[in-house]
Amino acid sequence: MNMLVCVSRTPETTAPVKFSADMSEYDGSGVNFIMNPYDEWYALVRALEVKESQGGKVTLFHVGGAESDAVIRKGLAIGADDAVRVDAAPSSSMFVAKQIAEYCKANAIDILFFGKETIDFNGAEVGAMAAEMLDMPYISFAIDMQLDGNNATITREIEGGKEVGEVQTPFALSAAKGLAEQRIANMRGIMMSKRKPINVIPAADAADKATVVKYAYPDAGGDVVYIEPDNMDELVRRLAEEAKVL
Amino acid sequence: MTNHQDHNTEIVKSTKTDRFQGHDYYNVDDLLTTEHLLVRDSVREWVKQEVSPIIEQYAERAMYPRHLVKGLAEIGAFGPSLPEKYGCGGLDEISYGLIMQELERGDSGIRSAASVQGSLVMYPIYKYGTEEMRMKYLPKLASGEFIGCFGLTEPDHGSNPGGMITNIVDDGDCYILNGAKMWITNSPIADVAVVWAKDEEGKVRGMVVEAGTPGFSAPEIHGKWSLRASITGELVFEDVRVPKENVFPDIKGLRGPLSCLSKARYGIAWGVIGAAMDCYDSALRYSLEREQFGKPIAGFQLTQKKLAEMITEITKAQLLAWRLGTLANEGKATPAQISMAKRNNVHMALEIAREARQIHGGMGITQEYSIMRHMMNLETVLTYEGTHDIHLLITGHDVTGLQAFK
Ligand SMILES: Cc1cc2nc3c(=O)[nH]c(=O)nc-3n(C[C@H](O)[C@H](O)[C@H](O)COP(=O)(O)OP(=O)(O)OC[C@H]3O[C@@H](n4cnc5c(N)ncnc54)[C@H](O)[C@@H]3O)c2cc1C
């Protein structure tokens, strides 16, 4: 099984969210960046489990500058065999998807793994776009995947329940909580990661179809107003007149 | 607040999240490599998952969380800087220090288990043992299949190990070992003990004694108010026959055990920064959340004095440890430099624990917070591996050339 695990670099969950003065760009200064947890905990680990049970190769794929090498190194320490880094800023979902698609066209991939979303923009776009470009089946929000030869039975999370489907390799999936259990890199893995290659390649041409114009902070939360349970009229009045939701 | 735990009830993982965050006021992280940061963050993650949810309960019951040995081995905490050939990590000294820091952030007892196994048992076997001894013991100690202990201190000889009376007498293919050791971390559960004893010429020799050897026993010491999640005992030798191939061939004199202590003390100098950061982190958060007289207690000057001094001292300790680590990587750290860092950093951590305890008010004495446990643990750390005062005498000796021990 040739597996490609697409990983992104995201700010740590506790990092304060800041923007440039004109609100046009995210300001990552002083922020600790990590591997997107859905990519690390579920997608990568499930790929490693497949490799351990039936052989194969796990390659990490990342679009980003050299500052991402620490994140990639972590994936290698957890157990990926090697990594490919497209040396370009991940300017949009479309741009990143295009890089993945171009790589997969040139390299036969049996399973293309994504996390269900990144924890910064929460777009959940890249996987679907890349699979579409490759004309590959795409199963999103996978919480279980069982492989039997080239046939996979995948359970995905849907509103109010689960959906079970079957698909044959090659296919792409996005990993949700439950697909695997987080693994922590051990010292041996960290040492071995130093000997594993990160192949840096130039970006394929891809025009951004969307650009960010401006960011805005959400409105600060208002004060909490307590209304006595026996004063329902007041609650209704406020919902109608002040919140204007009735 | 957690209810008082019945000692017979089962230990269940606490669901409270460990909100610890590292503190790096002087961007010391910039002095570390990607590898160092990976090492640190991995162990931090492991501690949050495995140690934090159970440690208060084990400490309260004075039980050693033995199930953690496997995880400690898997993550690579046993002998991380020894060669990969023996199942070890092959990491540098700064990585080793960072591992100790993160383990002690969880609990000094857990760090002690790793210090003893790595620096006091595996290191002497690696450094002074024959290749046969290395191959026989190191992989098993690295994988946690074997637990080791280190016997130097005796009931009547603590700060003055040179006065030891435990001894060996030549008996053909064996030595006959007699004597007793006291305060030995992990002795009751150890599979192997590295023991230091005097030969017939009065020279200190080191050897590996296996559990189960006739005449060898290791009773547990009970009633500790410190390092409660670590097991401590005695080593008693009554005509124990130690095969000659188990004795380190070429090292004679106190230099042997002292070189091991240097390794462990080095780890302690880093380790206690973890305990200090945990106390500071908790105090900072608590003081911002706790309100009195209409504002967060962090807004009062007296609280700020405590917090400001804490982070200043932590920062100094971090820089001391980093510099010592750099020297150690170059093979240039002297035992006296290690003494200075051990003494300074342990004292710093204990002071911070005490101040942090005050900031937490009454809550600070409960097991809802890690502070009181750290504080009690650090009392041991201040004493073992050379007491606070003995390290001062080492520095005094080093700068004056005059020794004031006796
Ligand atoms: C929980 C725990 C675990 C331990 N684990 C181990 C272990 O695994 N292996 C091991 O070998 N040992 C271990 N030790 C022993 C530890 O190293 C000794 O306790 C320590 O060396 C001090 O010895 P002592 O307790 O006999 O105190 P003493 O040496 O009797 O010291 C008592 C006091 O006298 C002071 N003092 C002594 N000599 C002088 C002097 N010349 N000048 C000024 N002051 C002096 C000391 O600083 C101290 O304050 C452990 C101890 C504890 C508490």
Side-chain angles (χ1 to χ4, degrees):
Chain A
M1 267 314 143
N2 252 338
M3 292 169 281
L4 193 72
V5 181
C6 301
V7 297
S8 69
R9 176 177 174 266
T10 57
E12 195 181 38
T13 41
T14 55
V17 180
K18 292 174 295 177
F19 299 98
S20 58
D22 64 355
M23 297 298 281
S24 69
E25 264 180 281
Y26 172 70
D27 175 5
S29 60
V31 169
N32 190 19
F33 285 87
I34 58 171
M35 190 188 295
N36 182 45
Y38 292 105
D39 307 347
E40 179 193 325
W41 299 352
Y42 313 122
L44 171 58
V45 177
R46 191 66 191 107
L48 293 173
E49 287 170 353
V50 170
K51 179 190 158 176
E52 285 155 8
S53 66
Q54 59 186 74
K57 186 169 174 229
V58 177
T59 300
L60 297 171
F61 189 93
H62 176 79
V63 180
E67 67 279 3
S68 295
D69 282 351
V71 161
I72 296 172
R73 193 61 71 199
K74 183 177 191 192
L76 296 172
I78 291 171
D81 296 291
D82 59 4
V84 174
R85 176 167 67 78
V86 175
D87 195 18
S91 51
S92 71
S93 301
M94 184 62 93
F95 178 82
V96 173
K98 176 86 176 156
Q99 305 307 319
I100 297 166
E102 288 303 314
Y103 181 83
C104 292
K105 280 178 197 160
N107 299 274
I109 298 298
D110 299 306
I111 309 179
L112 182 53
F113 285 89
F114 298 91
K116 74 165 185 177
E117 62 186 355
T118 51
I119 60 166
D120 47 7
F121 291 95
N122 304 81
E125 291 173 340
V126 173
M129 285 178 176
E132 179 63 25
M133 289 172 190
L134 288 162
D135 204 14
M136 245 188 203
Y138 176 64
I139 302 92
S140 59
F141 307 120
I143 55 171
D144 186 67
M145 176 190 63
Q146 299 304 325
L147 263 182
D148 181 10
N150 292 330
N151 298 309
T153 307
I154 298 179
T155 308
R156 59 189 296 273
E157 223 168 19
I158 56 171
E159 199 64 40
K162 289 174 184 173
E163 182 182 51
V164 182
E166 284 177 3
V167 65
Q168 288 201 324
T169 59
F171 64 88
L173 71 74
S174 82
K177 184 177 179 185
L179 187 70
E181 246 186 72
Q182 182 191 2
R183 286 188 188 175
I184 297 175
N186 61 25
M187 301 310 128
R188 185 177 276 267
I190 293 170
M191 279 306 277
M192 274 161 55
S193 77
K194 292 206 288 190
R195 300 191 279 266
K196 292 176 177 173
I198 299 177
N199 304 309
V200 180
I201 60 172
D205 277 344
D208 281 332
K209 295 201 171 163
T211 45
V212 173
V213 181
K214 200 171 162 53
Y215 291 96
Y217 291 106
D219 291 335
D223 286 342
V224 175
V225 178
Y226 289 95
I227 297 164
E228 292 300 323
D230 51 10
N231 198 358
M232 278 302 118
D233 292 347
E234 172 64 6
L235 177 65
V236 172
R237 187 193 66 77
R238 279 179 178 265
L239 287 174
E241 292 173 17
E242 291 175 18
K244 296 190 174 41
V245 292
L246 294 182
Chain B
M1 230 163 78
T2 345
N3 290 327
H4 175 73
Q5 308 269 347
D6 180 342
H7 283 217
N8 297 318
T9 57
E10 206 187 322
I11 290 176
V12 279
K13 274 194 168 185
S14 153
T15 50
K16 205 171 86 180
T17 30
D18 174 353
R19 292 156 80 193
F20 175 77
Q21 281 188 312
H23 293 275
D24 182 20
Y25 201 73
Y26 259 44
N27 302 352
V28 182
D29 277 7
D30 293 352
L31 300 170
L32 303 176
T33 63
T34 305
E35 180 185 320
H36 293 148
L37 298 174
L38 252 175
V39 165
R40 183 192 64 193
D41 293 347
S42 297
V43 182
R44 182 171 297 174
E45 192 73 42
W46 183 81
V47 167
K48 283 192 175 191
Q49 285 184 17
E50 303 298 330
V51 179
S52 307
I54 52 118
I55 194 65
E56 296 293 345
Q57 301 177 60
Y58 277 88
E60 185 186 19
R61 290 164 169 77
M63 274 165 61
Y64 177 53
R66 193 169 176 170
H67 67 282
L68 292 183
V69 169
K70 192 164 164 273
L72 281 164
E74 268 165 18
I75 190 114
F78 296 147
S81 55
L82 296 180
E84 289 172 87
K85 180 181 166 191
Y86 304 111
C88 305
L91 296 164
D92 73 349
E93 296 295 335
I94 291 182
S95 298
Y96 170 57
L98 289 164
I99 295 171
M100 296 300 119
Q101 171 186 298
E102 293 307 316
L103 293 180
E104 191 143 9
R105 206 282 298 172
D107 188 80
S108 303
I110 305 302
R111 198 268 306 135
S112 297
S115 283
V116 168
Q117 185 94 345
S119 293
L120 298 180
V121 178
M122 296 172 71
Y123 174 75
I125 292 174
Y126 167 69
K127 179 89 179 164
Y128 304 120
T130 57
E131 186 61 20
E132 252 172 27
M133 287 167 96
R134 293 176 179 175
M135 293 312 288
K136 183 170 177 195
Y137 296 115
L138 293 179
K140 286 187 172 153
L141 287 159
S143 70
E145 188 186 334
F146 271 11
I147 291 177
C149 71
F150 175 87
L152 178 67
T153 306
E154 298 188 352
D156 295 327
H157 300 92
S159 298
N160 175 26
M164 72 171 68
I165 50 178
T166 299
N167 64 88
I168 49 172
V169 175
D170 198 325
D171 188 45
D173 55 352
C174 279
Y175 283 106
I176 313 266
L177 171 66
N178 275 293
K181 300 285 177 183
M182 180 83 174
W183 297 118
I184 308 306
T185 303
N186 276 351
S187 81
I189 55 167
D191 301 285
V192 291
V194 167
V195 178
W196 302 92
K198 279 185 181 161
D199 65 13
E200 284 153 283
E201 292 169 23
K203 295 248 163 63
V204 173
R205 304 290 303 270
M207 64 211 73
V208 178
V209 184
E210 295 193 13
T213 312
F216 171 31
S217 60
E220 187 175 346
I221 296 172
H222 293 283
K224 291 180 298 168
W225 284 120
S226 177
L227 285 200
R228 288 170 64 81
S230 162
I231 185 162
T232 316
E234 299 170 44
L235 294 173
V236 181
F237 310 105
E238 290 165 338
D239 291 331
V240 177
R241 298 183 69 81
V242 181
K244 280 201 169 153
E245 66 264 23
N246 277 21
V247 177
F248 301 138
D250 299 322
I251 183 84
K252 289 184 182 172
L254 272 183
R255 201 164 55 82
L258 292 184
S259 67
C260 306
L261 293 177
S262 279
K263 285 274 168 202
R265 289 165 180 173
Y266 167 83
I268 292 171
W270 282 88
V272 290
I273 297 172
M277 278 202 289
D278 198 43
C279 293
Y280 168 73
D281 182 62
S282 184
L284 180 61
R285 194 175 310 110
Y286 187 84
S287 66
L288 288 164
E289 287 168 3
R290 174 75 177 168
E291 293 189 6
Q292 285 297 290
F293 300 97
K295 66 176 186 185
I297 57 171
F300 297 112
Q301 287 185 357
L302 289 175
T303 312
Q304 290 192 3
K305 175 174 190 288
K306 291 186 176 74
L307 293 169
E309 286 178 353
M310 284 182 195
I311 190 64
T312 306
E313 290 308 314
I314 288 171
T315 303
K316 284 152 73 178
Q318 285 170 331
L319 288 165
L320 199 62
W322 175 80
R323 178 63 191 147
L324 187 67
T326 308
L327 289 171
N329 277 343
E330 294 165 358
K332 293 196 299 209
T334 67
Q337 286 171 331
I338 294 170
S339 281
M340 179 185 281
K342 191 263 181 188
R343 179 174 187 274
N344 180 79
N345 290 9
V346 176
H347 189 250
M348 163 296 295
L350 186 54
E351 288 297 311
I352 285 177
R354 287 174 179 155
E355 296 286 299
R357 217 288 303 144
Q358 290 190 58
I359 290 177
H360 287 78
M363 288 308 284
I365 71 155
T366 69
Q367 53 177 249
E368 198 74 1
Y369 295 90
S370 52
I371 317 296
M372 194 81 190
R373 181 169 46 80
H374 282 309
M375 191 204 291
M376 295 197 296
N377 282 341
L378 288 164
E379 291 291 347
T380 289
V381 185
L382 193 73
T383 286
Y384 75 5
E385 301 274 350
T387 69
H388 188 64
D389 288 344
I390 290 293
H391 285 298
L392 177 123
L393 296 181
I394 291 173
T395 306
H397 181 195
D398 202 47
V399 297
T400 64
L402 305 171
Q403 71 127 303
F405 300 100
K406 47 183 178 198

